[in-house]
Amino acid sequence: MEEKIKEIVSTYIKLPVAQISESTPIGRTALQSSILMHRMYARLGEEGVVVSDYAEIKVFGDLMRKQGAGVGAQPAVGAGGVIGSQPSIAMTSAGIGIDIEEVAALPRVADLRKEAFYTQNFTPSEIAYCILQADPYSSLAGLFAAKEAIVKADGQYRNRPFHTVEISHTADGKPVFPGLGLSISHAAGMAVAVAAPGGAVPYPGSSDAAAPVGEAVIRAAGKPASTGWITWIALLLAAAALLLALKH
């Protein structure tokens, strides 16, 4: 089994199988792309090597130790189910998260609803939404970047499978996630996303009406709505990050 795992890893880190050892880096830095990292683990999952806490694996030896500990079972979704589909009113200690992804890094497939990478990283509703967009892959890259930004903004989602972190949209197409304000942009084959304290949550007793967190959550806690400036800073940082990516 180790040789099969090496063959799969080799494809993504661009290193011959014979050169892969226990100390070979296979984390995000080695792959230089979060999308490629998730693609690698989706492929490993097809072989029964399912790992939920990608961030904890830095070198090949870490992966083999996980395999030895029995990572073949599907990771538990947890009591919360799909996070984002039914948000509740709660305070958040989130910060700011920014992520940039290359649209071309996404695998091109015949059916987005059946390929492992997409089913493991997006909910059926997210896939359905993106299929209806003018450029489905660009939309998917934007959602993937937004999920990475959410993880960076709020560590409670760090080890959650991406298909349990659902981003929905308002009637005019604005991305929505409970407790966080999201912004997604595209340019020159890149997708950039920002997650910052804010966002929308349902009013009590309503299934779909939403109110800004600054008004609904923070005011309910007796604190003034003061997250707007944080969101503006996050947007400026995202713009700077996108310009930097385009220059390279």
Side-chain angles (χ1 to χ4, degrees):
M1 187 60 176
E2 181 174 346
E3 285 304 307
K4 181 62 177 180
I5 294 175
K6 282 186 176 181
E7 289 176 9
I8 295 172
V9 171
S10 171
T11 302
Y12 292 93
I13 66 174
K14 307 300 182 184
L15 190 70
V17 171
Q19 295 182 27
I20 297 178
S21 67
E22 184 173 299
S23 60
T24 300
I26 63 170
R28 188 184 187 284
T29 301
L31 291 162
Q32 298 184 335
S33 167
S34 293
I35 288 178
L36 287 181
M37 183 179 72
H38 283 247
R39 287 180 62 179
M40 181 177 75
Y41 283 106
R43 178 69 186 89
L44 286 168
E46 293 177 335
E47 298 296 326
V49 183
V50 181
V51 182
S52 60
D53 52 347
Y54 307 161
E56 305 303 320
I57 296 178
K58 306 299 183 183
V59 297
F60 185 76
D62 294 338
L63 176 59
M64 293 311 300
R65 282 185 284 277
K66 291 279 187 181
Q67 171 67 9
V71 297
Q74 288 287 341
V77 172
V82 176
I83 301 298
S85 58
Q86 294 180 328
S88 58
I89 295 180
M91 290 299 294
T92 176
S93 58
I96 297 173
I98 301 173
D99 190 71
I100 299 175
E101 300 294 341
E102 186 177 8
V103 177
L106 290 173
R108 266 50 180 176
V109 299
D111 191 342
L112 293 167
R113 297 164 296 183
K114 296 181 179 180
E115 206 276 334
F117 169 80
Y118 293 103
T119 58
Q120 290 182 21
N121 289 287
F122 301 95
T123 68
S125 294
E126 290 173 332
I127 293 174
Y129 174 85
C130 291
I131 286 175
L132 296 176
Q133 304 309 303
D135 185 345
Y137 290 105
S138 182
S139 296
L140 286 162
L143 284 184
F144 189 96
K147 294 188 182 199
E148 283 285 346
I150 288 170
V151 170
K152 293 173 182 177
D154 193 336
Q156 69 174 305
Y157 303 111
R158 182 177 178 84
N159 290 327
R160 295 211 44 122
F162 269 12
H163 72 276
T164 70
V165 180
E166 183 175 81
I167 296 171
S168 56
H169 293 81
T170 63
D172 59 358
K174 178 179 174 57
V176 177
F177 188 81
L180 291 169
L182 297 180
S183 181
I184 302 173
S185 296
H186 300 83
M190 306 294 290
V192 60
V194 175
V201 296
Y203 280 122
S206 172
S207 60
D208 55 7
V213 167
E215 296 177 9
V217 177
I218 298 179
R219 189 173 294 169
K223 297 182 179 181
S226 58
T227 60
W229 66 273
I230 298 178
T231 302
W232 278 109
I233 291 175
L235 291 173
L236 290 173
L237 289 173
L242 181 57
L243 289 174
L244 183 60
L246 294 176
K247 287 182 179 179
H248 291 78

